[in-house]
Amino acid sequence: MNKLKNAVQNNTFSVEELSELRKKMSELGTSKEYDEALIKMDFGKYLRGLIGDPPTAMIDPHAHHILFKKGLGEAQQKLVQEGQEILRKYGIDPVIGKENLVWAPNRVAGQHSIAALENRGERRIYYG
């Protein structure tokens, strides 16, 4: 799995190949292991390969998941799971999908709070 994670991180696969890879992992019953490996990848390196470097004016940028990868604590994890199911329903990979990754400044107060996560859920109702 580590070699596969590194290949994904290095943007070796197309979007279509990544979709097929996820399907194959599901068929093999290894989706959980695959997801656990992907969560540990260098998302900065991966996002650079997808969209390029962060904005030069951004202070302390990092690759940020709009919908969290996991969530902290039971309440966040439940919301994350619900959100990930919705993203998958529309063909978006919640961990490595370009649509769920952005450059964001690091250490922003409340960035990874339950309120921020719930706010994303409310937007989903109105816009998604």
Side-chain angles (χ1 to χ4, degrees), residues 9 15 19 21 34 39 54 57 62-63 68 73 78 100 105 119-120:
Q9 174 181 286
V15 172
S19 179
L21 185 56
Y34 178 65
I39 285 172
H62 76 290
F68 309 163
K78 183 179 178 193
N100 193 37
N119 187 30
R120 287 176 183 96

Side-chain angles (χ1 to χ4, degrees), residues 6-7 15 23-24 28 34-35 65 68 73-75 77 79 83 87 94-95 108-109 118-119 121 128:
N6 288 338
V15 172
K23 287 178 191 171
K24 184 55 84 176
L28 294 171
Y34 178 65
D35 286 340
H65 286 80
F68 309 163
E74 190 176 327
Q77 289 171 3
L79 288 171
L87 290 178
V95 177
V108 173
E118 288 171 336
N119 187 30

Side-chain angles (χ1 to χ4, degrees), residues 51-63:
I51 66 170
D53 290 331
T56 55
M58 186 177 288
I59 298 170
D60 197 15
H62 76 290

